[in-house]
Amino acid sequence: HLSIRRQRQMCIRDSDIGKELDVAYLLEGSFQKIGDDAKLIVQLIEANGERHVWAEEYNRDWKNFFSVQSEVAQTIARELYTTITPEEKQLIEKIPTSNMTAYDLYLQANEYKNGYSKTRDLSSYQTAVNLYRASLKIDTTFAKAYIGLALAYYDRFYWPEFFKENFLDSCLVLANKALSIDDKLDEAYYLKGQLYRQNGEIEKALRNYDKTLEISPNFY
């Protein structure tokens, strides 16, 4: 079992995090981007003994950075004496978009969307929507940007549209659009499950939740 942390919280011991998450290993990383240069430093930590199992630094051109995720995953699998299945390898190596400008806008949009979820600041919501749309204007086949936009709408209009007959149909349209481009997108199936559940279509909801877990067994 592996958990990924983006930042170390010095006040919390690795062993405590491992126990809380019920994982044996933690993957800690830091990321820095300056211009077209990107640096990723990752280290694999044994949670119980807080022992550093492996560490590596990756320096890449930002345009070629997607290749690093496959490299890191396969290296960790070797360190843990596990095997990545062909299906898992295919998911790991999948490139969400070939346009890094679109990807950068998508990442920014995610930050504003997450900010809105915490603060309910409408300016954060609108900025997120604008950034998702800008990303999709550059790459109309960017599936994750469609589902990011759908999730932003879901978060913003869930209660205002809860009792409407066409409850968040726009989100369903965007989720289906995303899946027409990438049928292995766990977030899209999850969102469809949520929408069907709220509309009382339980069997459809369960099928989409099952599909989510089929793609990502640890999806929350």
Side-chain angles (χ1 to χ4, degrees), residues 50-116:
E50 302 194 7
R51 179 176 65 90
H52 286 69
V53 178
W54 165 82
E56 188 61 77
E57 179 178 315
Y58 297 87
N59 293 281
R60 295 288 191 276
D61 186 297
W62 175 239
K63 295 178 182 178
N64 302 318
F65 204 72
F66 287 126
S67 63
V68 175
Q69 63 183 358
S70 177
E71 191 175 340
V72 170
Q74 294 184 64
T75 300
I76 291 171
R78 287 194 299 271
E79 292 290 335
L80 299 179
Y81 302 102
T82 59
T83 302
I84 295 177
T85 66
E87 292 79 12
E88 290 170 334
K89 189 172 186 293
Q90 186 178 14
L91 286 173
I92 291 169
E93 293 180 343
K94 182 171 61 179
I95 297 175
T97 175
S98 59
N99 190 297
M100 297 308 294
T101 300
Y103 187 68
D104 193 39
L105 290 169
Y106 164 77
L107 293 179
Q108 292 180 54
N110 285 345
E111 291 296 322
Y112 280 101
K113 176 170 68 67
N114 293 337
Y116 172 71

Side-chain angles (χ1 to χ4, degrees), residues 8-152:
R8 171 188 291 271
Q9 298 181 38
M10 297 304 294
C11 60
I12 303 176
R13 292 170 58 87
D14 291 325
S15 57
D16 294 333
I17 297 173
K19 184 177 181 180
E20 180 179 346
L21 298 177
D22 191 26
V23 295
Y25 296 91
L26 303 171
L27 183 63
E28 184 176 279
S30 62
F31 175 79
Q32 184 178 32
K33 179 178 178 290
I34 302 176
D36 291 331
D37 297 323
K39 175 189 290 187
L40 175 66
I41 301 174
V42 292
Q43 53 184 340
L44 185 65
I45 302 169
E46 189 180 60
N48 291 336
E50 302 194 7
R51 179 176 65 90
H52 286 69
V53 178
W54 165 82
E56 188 61 77
E57 179 178 315
Y58 297 87
N59 293 281
R60 295 288 191 276
D61 186 297
W62 175 239
K63 295 178 182 178
N64 302 318
F65 204 72
F66 287 126
S67 63
V68 175
Q69 63 183 358
S70 177
E71 191 175 340
V72 170
Q74 294 184 64
T75 300
I76 291 171
R78 287 194 299 271
E79 292 290 335
L80 299 179
Y81 302 102
T82 59
T83 302
I84 295 177
T85 66
E87 292 79 12
E88 290 170 334
K89 189 172 186 293
Q90 186 178 14
L91 286 173
I92 291 169
E93 293 180 343
K94 182 171 61 179
I95 297 175
T97 175
S98 59
N99 190 297
M100 297 308 294
T101 300
Y103 187 68
D104 193 39
L105 290 169
Y106 164 77
L107 293 179
Q108 292 180 54
N110 285 345
E111 291 296 322
Y112 280 101
K113 176 170 68 67
N114 293 337
Y116 172 71
S117 296
K118 295 175 182 177
T119 65
R120 315 311 289 181
D121 180 356
L122 286 177
S123 65
S124 294
Y125 161 78
Q126 193 58 58
T127 301
V129 168
N130 291 341
L131 288 167
Y132 283 128
R133 288 174 175 169
S135 177
L136 288 167
K137 188 173 182 180
I138 295 171
D139 183 358
T140 59
T141 64
F142 191 178
K144 290 181 74 67
Y146 282 109
I147 200 61
L149 181 59
L151 288 167

